[in-house]
Amino acid sequence: FHKADDYTHPSFAALSPSGHPLRNILGADGASGPVAWSKDGETLYFSRRANTNNIYGYLDLFAYEPATKELTGLTVDDRAREPAISPDGTKLVHVRNRAGSMELVLRPLDNPGDATVVLGAHDYHPHDDAHWQQISRPVFTASGEAVVFSWWRLDKRQRALYMIHL
């Protein structure tokens, strides 16, 4: 879980089944939003702020393997957050910010640089109210064939759950 309090630096932490002891897994300064574990429980996927040119801070996706302490960046300056892993463990879906509007993005875990925009602001002209949208909290269905997510669109003036078949 993401541990953050008023007294210590944020971290990703784990509890044993009995609840003790608490074990810090990785410092989580700049971490944001939901995290996901790989199907085998060996890799933690999360987003956190990464700095570029010591000036700009963007949220990017990372994979961390506690057993080897290996941290791998999956995106660069992508404004990516809220990763979810497919039930078969081969794909990752997440949201990202593009010019103030959100996109739903799918990536294969064996080649995370190969991103496919499943749904996004590019589907609408910037003068169309539907262009301005907020997508959040994507999760795969049990079959892995679809993704459920929360979607707010300015043109509809409401937030609701949607499902998109991949």
Side-chain angles (χ1 to χ4, degrees):
F1 66 95
H2 184 220
K3 180 180 137 253
D5 58 39
D6 293 337
Y7 310 104
T8 59
H9 286 286
S11 66
F12 293 112
L15 292 171
S16 69
S18 68
H20 297 297
L22 178 66
R23 181 174 56 95
N24 285 336
I25 297 172
L26 175 69
D29 285 332
S32 175
V35 301
W37 282 96
S38 60
K39 182 179 178 181
D40 62 9
E42 301 294 324
T43 306
L44 174 67
Y45 295 92
F46 64 97
S47 63
R48 77 170 180 198
R49 186 185 62 256
N51 293 323
T52 300
N53 300 329
N54 288 326
I55 298 172
Y56 306 104
Y58 299 102
L59 286 176
D60 277 307
L61 297 179
F62 293 85
Y64 180 70
E65 296 180 24
T68 63
K69 299 192 182 329
E70 183 177 350
L71 179 66
T72 305
L74 303 178
T75 62
V76 177
D77 299 341
D78 202 39
R79 299 179 182 203
R81 65 177 197 213
E82 302 183 30
I85 305 299
S86 63
D88 66 3
T90 64
K91 297 179 284 297
L92 178 143
V93 67
H94 67 90
V95 297
R96 72 177 174 192
N97 186 322
R98 284 294 181 265
S101 196
M102 304 303 289
E103 296 178 333
L104 185 65
V105 179
L106 184 69
R107 296 175 185 274
L109 284 173
D110 61 354
N111 183 15
D114 185 16
T116 302
V117 176
V118 178
L119 178 75
H122 68 280
D123 294 331
Y124 306 97
H125 190 277
H127 297 298
D128 184 338
D129 280 351
H131 175 81
W132 302 104
Q133 56 192 347
Q134 297 297 313
I135 298 171
S136 60
R137 303 297 292 219
V139 294
F140 280 92
T141 58
S143 69
E145 295 175 1
V147 173
V148 176
F149 57 97
S150 174
W151 193 12
W152 176 87
R153 287 181 22 191
L154 181 60
D155 63 327
K156 294 188 179 280
R157 308 283 198 282
Q158 68 179 5
R159 177 173 293 280
L161 292 178
Y162 288 83
M163 181 168 50
I164 189 165
H165 293 271
L166 300 175

